[in-house]
Amino acid sequence: MSGPVPPVRPGPFLLLTAAVTGLAAAGVLPRWPGVVHLVALPPLDLVTDLRLLMAAGSTYPQFLAGLAGALALRITVLAFLLGGPRGPALRYAARFYLAVLPGAFLGAALLLGAGALLFYGLFWAGFAVVLLVTALTAAVPWAAPPGLGRGFAAAARRGLRLGTVGAYLAALGLTGAAADLTRPAGPVLLVPVSALLTLTAVRALRADPGFRPARRLVAAVPAAGLTALAVIAATGPAGPPTAPPPREPRPGSLMLMSGVDSSSGSGAILEIDPHALGYRCGRTFYYSYAGPGGGQPRNEALCPVTTGAPYGPEDTLRPTGQLIAFQEAQLTGLPQPVVLATHSQGVWISWEAAADGRLPGVTELVLVGPFPDNPVPYPPQGGTGRSRLAADVARIAAGLPRPGGSSRFEPDSALGREWLADPGAIERTLARRLPPGVRALGVASVFDLPLMSGGPRLRGAADACPVPVIHPNLPYSGEFQEAVAAFLDARDLPGCPLWRSLVGPAFRPFAVPDLEPGRPGTA
């Protein structure tokens, strides 16, 4: 492909844009904000294909057939954009997509696992992989020398044209956020806008000799935002905050319920200083996943653990019915009214118990790190069904070490199959009404928001401002404790900076689509 650069031939790309728009409008494609990425700049288009195929595929042959079709389509469209479906253009486009496929597959698989396990760490790792692959390769096709190696070398000499690529990603990010905020019509209507951005970027990359100050400035805006989020995640609280002066004692008692993979006296929520909420150790109790008993090892708990049986991480994966029975037994006889604060998976268990009228004496529920739905349900081990790949990715990811001491959720445990593998299980439970006289407060992590396909709001609960700490560190946050104190005092909750509520819309387009009918972002 030496000689004069052939003109861009956008005809097939425009047909693809029309097809994506029509299929999304008809409900064949999910109307999730990531649909605008189906007409994005390579390799983002391939990453989006993989996310869709992984989430929808029932078998590996079905996935591989879909991938072969997606590659054929992408290679053909790229060849036209490079000047026409001639042999050199087709070979160059094919080599490019095959070269980026491993990185695109890894990024999509991590995003898939994040949706299946509701694990923030996998989402941000997947997003980082996708961003890295895009930054390293997005400028390569438009260098278009005879060989792919020369294309990479030409792009590298021009600084990977990061000014243009970064400005494009910033504009695409705004488009995706707008699509998320205007669902269900917005994602469909913004597909042509995304296509226009792609064609503009293609023309700029073909003509751009390298860095330009204006584009570099635009690209710096999202880079600064991502850096800030990374710094917040890395430097968040590593332990309990400095305790405020003790409050006047409240009537009743406080029970703290940790999340999955915790054990007696070990779990972030157990390190809450009850004095900051108006309780003394004599009125503070700790839930045991092994049921009633005469006490547990104290370990990191800030008060002696005088009730409940000793338990280990395996006990946190018992069937929900058994755990609810344990809740009911351990709450019976506590000084009333009772405030029950529960973390992560405990949110679903406690809401189900409350809706069944099985939380005696509980008048307030504090729900720490709640997830309102399970966007990627998966089939049983060895079985088939939608999201077949998600099942295997989730099982591999469940065995990986987790940063920040975060919890792990075994996909095939009794609890995992009840809540994560069952389509709509979480949403059905949280749609149930709480009994009269029971109030609830939800406190989400900013870093969990991209995994909430419909946003963080819990119907029937007050919603605190999302806290800028990672999921396992929520109970350590002084801001979290301030919100809980305001809720218990029946005061207005603290205000919320706009940027926190925008993290979800900005990054949700990179998540795996929720394919359950009737859910937000689905047809």
Side-chain angles (χ1 to χ4, degrees), residues 467-497:
V467 181
V469 297
I470 58 176
H471 181 91
N473 286 351
L474 271 169
Y476 300 148
S477 167
E479 187 175 329
F480 159 76
Q481 296 192 9
E482 291 171 9
V484 174
F487 172 73
L488 297 180
D489 291 339
R491 294 184 280 112
D492 291 337
L493 296 175
C496 193

Side-chain angles (χ1 to χ4, degrees), residues 294-317:
Q296 310 169 55
R298 180 171 178 173
N299 293 325
E300 290 88 20
L302 294 191
C303 291
V305 187
T306 58
T307 60
Y311 77 91
E314 66 281 356
D315 293 305
T316 66
L317 302 175

Side-chain angles (χ1 to χ4, degrees), residues 241 243-256 269 271-280 283-284 339-342 364 366 368 441 475 477-489 491:
R247 300 173 58 90
E248 289 297 318
R250 299 181 190 275
S253 55
L254 171 70
M255 175 172 275
L256 300 175
I269 202 169
E271 299 182 50
I272 290 177
D273 184 355
H275 298 82
L277 303 180
Y279 294 94
R280 302 297 180 260
R283 293 292 183 94
T284 300
V339 173
L340 174 60
T342 181
E364 281 92 13
V366 176
V368 188
L441 171 70
S477 167
E479 187 175 329
F480 159 76
Q481 296 192 9
E482 291 171 9
V484 174
F487 172 73
L488 297 180
D489 291 339
R491 294 184 280 112

Side-chain angles (χ1 to χ4, degrees), residues 59-138:
T59 63
Y60 279 93
Q62 184 185 77
F63 167 75
L64 292 174
L67 176 58
L71 283 171
L73 175 65
R74 297 299 180 187
I75 290 167
T76 302
V77 171
L78 179 56
F80 270 95
L81 290 174
L82 291 173
R86 298 173 299 161
L90 281 170
R91 287 193 295 272
Y92 192 83
R95 289 167 183 162
F96 170 78
Y97 275 113
L98 291 176
V100 301
L101 180 59
F105 185 90
L106 175 61
L110 289 170
L111 295 171
L112 179 76
L117 291 174
L118 294 178
F119 179 42
Y120 76 98
L122 288 178
F123 174 83
W124 293 103
F127 175 76
V129 169
V130 172
L131 199 64
L132 180 63
V133 171
T134 302
L136 293 177
T137 66

Side-chain angles (χ1 to χ4, degrees), residues 314-413:
E314 66 281 356
D315 293 305
T316 66
L317 302 175
R318 293 171 183 251
T320 300
Q322 190 175 57
L323 298 178
I324 289 176
F326 290 165
Q327 272 188 321
E328 187 173 29
Q330 292 175 67
L331 287 166
T332 299
L334 296 188
Q336 298 183 9
V338 180
V339 173
L340 174 60
T342 181
H343 193 188
S344 198
Q345 69 168 28
V347 170
W348 313 323
I349 298 165
S350 299
W351 194 290
E352 179 98 349
D356 287 341
R358 299 184 63 184
L359 296 182
V362 172
T363 55
E364 281 92 13
L365 284 173
V366 176
L367 311 172
V368 188
F371 283 98
D373 53 44
N374 49 328
V376 190
Y378 48 85
Q381 191 166 18
T384 58
R386 180 185 287 173
S387 301
R388 175 70 180 82
L389 272 71
D392 292 334
V393 170
R395 292 177 187 111
I396 293 170
L400 298 176
R402 305 293 180 91
S406 61
S407 58
R408 60 188 288 175
F409 203 132
E410 293 295 342
D412 294 302
S413 64

